[in-house]
Amino acid sequence: MNRAEEDYLKLIYELQVEANKPMIKNNEIKDAFGYTDQSVNDMIKRLNDQKLVRFIPYKGVSLTKKGTHIAVKLVRAHRIWEVFLTKHLNYPWYRVHDEAERLEHASSEEMVEELFTFLGKPKTCSHGNPIPNLDGELPALNDFMLMDSNVGDTFVVERATDDAYLLKMLDDYKIGLNAKLHIIEKDSYNEFLKIKTDKKEVILTFSSAKKIFGRNIKI
Ligand SMILES: [Zn+2]
């Protein structure tokens, strides 16, 4: 099992779980990685031959039990390392992904479990994504988007998509997990939200607001 193969399994797992879909299309993998059709098709065939994924022409691909097991271990290691980096090395949340990406492939299962205990068994990563248990079980994902909030609502951030540009921008605006955002304008024509944080007013596009998840609270 090489790193590229592991990365595919992890991506398919994340796409399946996050979107709650039974099958993932080759195109979605291509878009996420930015690879060519040919290389995605070749890799899917290789993973299919190793019985790590099941490929059905025109339908897409899903993980087998064996593939899921490997993907879960990687996702778990990734998210646990992220917690370590933000909590103990003071990494900002937009910088942990690449480091965790390398560490997840290099650490033994035993070490990851030691780290998990050391960190006090966190429930989520630095971006609010749940850490799957060793059986691959994940709590149900809250998929209420900031985009779904309306003028007058107060929204609490609980999770953000692991997208470095988005995370960096939010960090610049001092918006992190548990930040309270008051929606003061929703402009559907120009596709932006104007929100007020504790500190200032900020404009977020609808496409960013679809990558931020949480809940509305009463104040
Ligand atoms: Zn994360």
Side-chain angles (χ1 to χ4, degrees):
M1 177 111 279
N2 62 39
R3 180 165 166 182
E5 292 172 337
E6 291 186 339
D7 283 339
Y8 267 76
L9 296 181
K10 207 177 63 163
L11 178 73
I12 296 166
Y13 174 83
E14 287 176 335
L15 291 173
Q16 274 192 293
V17 172
E18 279 183 17
N20 204 4
K21 280 196 251 181
M23 304 286 273
I24 301 303
K25 296 253 194 300
N26 287 22
N27 266 343
E28 296 176 71
I29 299 172
K30 200 184 90 176
D31 292 346
F33 278 141
Y35 296 157
T36 62
D37 283 326
Q38 185 62 38
S39 70
V40 172
N41 294 345
D42 288 350
M43 179 61 95
I44 297 297
K45 190 177 175 313
R46 247 159 74 195
L47 295 172
N48 189 67
D49 292 345
Q50 295 177 67
K51 301 202 166 26
L52 294 164
V53 303
R54 209 173 297 108
F55 175 67
I56 303 176
Y58 307 108
K59 285 231 156 111
V61 69
S62 63
L63 292 174
T64 61
K65 216 170 167 184
K66 192 173 151 198
T68 305
H69 184 68
I70 295 170
V72 164
K73 278 204 298 195
L74 290 163
V75 170
R76 186 171 159 81
H78 184 100
R79 293 183 179 170
I80 291 171
W81 273 117
E82 285 187 346
V83 176
F84 176 79
L85 292 167
T86 44
K87 220 172 145 181
H88 292 280
L89 301 184
N90 295 322
Y91 270 63
W93 71 343
Y94 60 87
R95 272 187 61 213
V96 293
H97 183 81
D98 290 350
E99 298 284 10
E101 203 64 22
R102 286 187 282 273
L103 290 163
E104 75 192 25
H105 299 280
S107 31
S108 70
E109 191 174 338
E110 192 186 355
M111 185 197 189
V112 171
E113 294 317 309
E114 292 287 354
L115 186 59
F116 182 63
T117 307
F118 170 74
L119 293 168
K121 307 192 174 179
K123 296 211 166 10
T124 62
C125 78
S126 322
H127 312 107
N129 289 303
I131 296 173
N133 69 20
L134 284 169
D135 297 324
E137 288 155 8
L138 270 176
L141 273 189
N142 171 7
D143 55 7
F144 183 82
M145 303 180 288
L146 173 60
M147 180 67 211
D148 299 326
S149 291
N150 292 302
V151 174
D153 289 341
T154 297
F155 178 92
V156 178
V157 178
E158 292 180 339
R159 179 164 70 90
T161 302
D162 200 342
D163 164 336
Y165 291 102
L166 172 79
L167 298 171
K168 171 76 171 72
M169 177 186 73
L170 294 175
D171 193 67
D172 288 343
Y173 293 150
K174 307 266 180 290
I175 297 173
L177 295 183
N178 301 316
K180 287 194 185 70
L181 312 177
H182 312 285
I183 319 312
I184 52 181
E185 192 181 336
K186 189 170 188 175
D187 183 333
S188 297
Y189 185 74
N190 294 299
E191 307 203 320
F192 70 81
L193 291 170
K194 191 190 271 181
I195 57 169
K196 198 168 167 298
T197 68
D198 293 343
K199 309 214 163 35
K200 54 178 173 184
E201 287 183 11
V202 174
I203 299 282
L204 291 176
T205 61
F206 281 3
S207 80
S208 296
K210 287 177 185 164
K211 295 175 181 168
I212 301 167
F213 306 87
R215 65 198 154 86
N216 282 330
I217 54 161
K218 297 240 182 312
I219 45 165

